[in-house]
Amino acid sequence: MSDPNCIFCKIASGAIPAKRLGENVHALAFADLNPQAPTHVLVIPKVHLASHAAIAPDQWPHLSAMQELAQKLAKELGLDATGYRLVMNTGKDGGQTVFHLHLHLLGGRPMSWPPG
Ligand code: 5GP
Ligand code: ZN
Protein backbone atom coordinates (compact mmCIF):
# COMPACT_ATOMS: atom_id res chain seq x y z
CA MET A 1 0.00 0.00 0.00
CA SER A 2 2.87 2.35 0.88
CA ASP A 3 6.61 2.26 0.11
CA PRO A 4 8.77 3.73 2.91
CA ASN A 5 11.41 4.84 0.36
CA CYS A 6 8.94 6.56 -1.99
CA ILE A 7 8.84 10.36 -2.05
CA PHE A 8 5.21 10.52 -3.23
CA CYS A 9 4.10 8.05 -0.51
CA LYS A 10 5.75 10.43 1.96
CA ILE A 11 3.83 13.36 0.45
CA ALA A 12 0.59 11.33 0.60
CA SER A 13 1.15 10.57 4.30
CA GLY A 14 2.13 14.16 5.09
CA ALA A 15 5.70 13.19 6.09
CA ILE A 16 7.02 15.49 3.34
CA PRO A 17 5.29 18.82 2.70
CA ALA A 18 3.66 19.73 -0.60
CA LYS A 19 1.17 22.34 -1.78
CA ARG A 20 -1.98 20.20 -1.74
CA LEU A 21 -4.64 21.23 -4.22
CA GLY A 22 -7.35 18.60 -3.81
CA GLU A 23 -8.19 14.96 -3.22
CA ASN A 24 -10.88 12.34 -3.53
CA VAL A 25 -11.21 8.84 -2.11
CA HIS A 26 -8.34 7.31 -4.14
CA ALA A 27 -6.30 10.27 -5.43
CA LEU A 28 -4.37 13.31 -4.22
CA ALA A 29 -3.21 16.40 -6.13
CA PHE A 30 -0.35 18.75 -5.32
CA ALA A 31 1.80 21.35 -7.08
CA ASP A 32 4.89 20.11 -8.93
CA LEU A 33 8.10 21.32 -7.27
CA ASN A 34 9.64 22.22 -10.64
CA PRO A 35 6.75 23.53 -12.77
CA GLN A 36 6.98 23.18 -16.57
CA ALA A 37 3.96 25.44 -17.22
CA PRO A 38 2.12 28.25 -15.37
CA THR A 39 -0.09 25.52 -13.89
CA HIS A 40 1.62 22.18 -13.20
CA VAL A 41 -0.20 19.80 -10.89
CA LEU A 42 0.66 16.19 -10.06
CA VAL A 43 -2.21 13.78 -9.42
CA ILE A 44 -1.26 10.54 -7.67
CA PRO A 45 -3.00 7.47 -6.28
CA LYS A 46 -3.00 7.46 -2.47
CA VAL A 47 -1.59 3.91 -2.52
CA HIS A 48 1.80 3.05 -4.00
CA LEU A 49 1.46 1.95 -7.64
CA ALA A 50 4.82 2.08 -9.43
CA SER A 51 3.78 3.04 -12.96
CA HIS A 52 1.12 2.75 -15.65
CA ALA A 53 2.84 -0.44 -16.82
CA ALA A 54 2.43 -2.00 -13.35
CA ILE A 55 -1.31 -1.39 -12.87
CA ALA A 56 -3.09 -4.68 -12.07
CA PRO A 57 -6.61 -5.45 -13.34
CA ASP A 58 -8.25 -4.63 -9.99
CA GLN A 59 -6.41 -1.30 -9.66
CA TRP A 60 -8.07 0.64 -12.51
CA PRO A 61 -10.41 2.48 -10.08
CA HIS A 62 -7.31 4.34 -8.83
CA LEU A 63 -6.58 5.60 -12.34
CA SER A 64 -10.19 6.57 -12.86
CA ALA A 65 -10.14 8.57 -9.61
CA MET A 66 -6.94 10.32 -10.74
CA GLN A 67 -8.54 11.30 -14.05
CA GLU A 68 -11.68 12.51 -12.29
CA LEU A 69 -9.64 14.67 -9.88
CA ALA A 70 -7.59 16.08 -12.77
CA GLN A 71 -10.78 17.15 -14.57
CA LYS A 72 -12.16 18.77 -11.39
CA LEU A 73 -8.93 20.69 -10.79
CA ALA A 74 -8.69 21.77 -14.44
CA LYS A 75 -12.11 23.36 -14.02
CA GLU A 76 -11.29 24.90 -10.63
CA LEU A 77 -8.03 26.33 -11.94
CA GLY A 78 -9.73 27.76 -15.03
CA LEU A 79 -7.94 25.56 -17.55
CA ASP A 80 -11.01 24.00 -19.10
CA ALA A 81 -11.72 27.05 -21.31
CA THR A 82 -8.23 27.30 -22.82
CA GLY A 83 -7.27 23.64 -22.62
CA TYR A 84 -4.70 21.58 -20.83
CA ARG A 85 -2.45 18.56 -21.23
CA LEU A 86 -2.44 15.35 -19.20
CA VAL A 87 0.82 13.39 -19.29
CA MET A 88 1.73 10.07 -17.69
CA ASN A 89 5.42 9.38 -18.26
CA THR A 90 6.08 5.65 -18.05
CA GLY A 91 9.43 3.92 -17.66
CA LYS A 92 12.85 4.89 -19.00
CA ASP A 93 11.89 5.94 -22.53
CA GLY A 94 8.80 7.68 -21.21
CA GLY A 95 10.95 9.91 -19.01
CA GLN A 96 9.56 8.68 -15.68
CA THR A 97 11.79 9.73 -12.78
CA VAL A 98 9.52 9.09 -9.78
CA PHE A 99 8.24 5.52 -9.62
CA HIS A 100 4.94 6.25 -7.92
CA LEU A 101 2.25 6.58 -10.61
CA HIS A 102 1.39 10.20 -11.38
CA LEU A 103 -0.53 12.26 -13.88
CA HIS A 104 0.86 15.66 -14.86
CA LEU A 105 -1.84 18.32 -15.36
CA LEU A 106 -0.26 21.14 -17.37
CA GLY A 107 -1.84 24.37 -18.55
CA GLY A 108 -1.70 28.12 -18.82
CA ARG A 109 0.28 28.25 -22.07
CA PRO A 110 0.07 26.71 -25.54
CA MET A 111 1.98 23.43 -25.83
CA SER A 112 3.78 21.98 -28.79
CA TRP A 113 3.40 18.58 -30.42
CA PRO A 114 5.12 16.17 -30.80
CA PRO A 115 6.88 16.03 -27.42
CA GLY A 116 10.67 15.97 -27.42
P1 5GP B 1 8.24 12.25 -13.99
O1 5GP B 1 9.47 12.73 -14.70
O2 5GP B 1 8.52 11.03 -13.13
O3 5GP B 1 7.07 12.07 -14.89
O4 5GP B 1 7.80 13.43 -13.03
C1 5GP B 1 8.19 13.55 -11.69
C2 5GP B 1 7.79 14.95 -11.27
O5 5GP B 1 7.84 15.01 -9.85
C3 5GP B 1 8.72 16.06 -11.80
O6 5GP B 1 7.95 16.97 -12.56
C4 5GP B 1 9.30 16.68 -10.53
O7 5GP B 1 9.44 18.08 -10.63
C5 5GP B 1 8.30 16.28 -9.47
N1 5GP B 1 8.84 16.12 -8.14
C6 5GP B 1 9.94 15.36 -7.79
N2 5GP B 1 10.14 15.40 -6.47
C7 5GP B 1 9.14 16.19 -5.96
C8 5GP B 1 8.82 16.60 -4.62
O8 5GP B 1 9.47 16.25 -3.63
N3 5GP B 1 7.73 17.40 -4.48
C9 5GP B 1 6.97 17.82 -5.55
N4 5GP B 1 5.93 18.61 -5.29
N5 5GP B 1 7.25 17.43 -6.81
C10 5GP B 1 8.33 16.63 -7.01
ZN1 ZN C 1 4.81 5.60 -3.46
Side-chain angles (χ1 to χ4, degrees), residues 7-8 11 30-34 42 89 95-98 102 104:
I7 190 131
F8 286 178
I11 287 175
F30 54 91
D32 196 293
L33 204 55
N34 183 23
L42 296 174
N89 297 328
Q96 186 176 6
T97 60
V98 176
H102 52 280
H104 296 260

Side-chain angles (χ1 to χ4, degrees), residues 1-10 12 44-50 98-101:
M1 292 296 268
S2 176
D3 177 339
N5 299 314
C6 170
I7 190 131
F8 286 178
C9 283
K10 289 178 184 170
I44 67 167
K46 289 181 174 177
V47 297
H48 183 83
L49 306 177
V98 176
F99 282 80
H100 179 128
L101 182 68

Side-chain angles (χ1 to χ4, degrees), residues 3-86:
D3 177 339
N5 299 314
C6 170
I7 190 131
F8 286 178
C9 283
K10 289 178 184 170
I11 287 175
S13 74
I16 288 182
K19 186 182 175 193
R20 288 170 176 247
L21 297 167
E23 65 181 298
N24 61 25
V25 63
H26 287 311
L28 170 70
F30 54 91
D32 196 293
L33 204 55
N34 183 23
Q36 302 302 315
T39 298
H40 188 171
V41 178
L42 296 174
V43 183
I44 67 167
K46 289 181 174 177
V47 297
H48 183 83
L49 306 177
S51 79
H52 186 271
I55 297 171
D58 64 342
Q59 292 173 327
W60 291 112
H62 296 274
L63 200 85
S64 177
M66 291 162 65
Q67 294 280 8
E68 189 177 2
L69 183 56
Q71 189 205 52
K72 180 169 178 274
L73 280 168
K75 283 183 186 150
E76 286 176 7
L77 297 169
L79 300 178
D80 53 332
T82 45
Y84 52 89
R85 183 168 290 179
L86 297 173

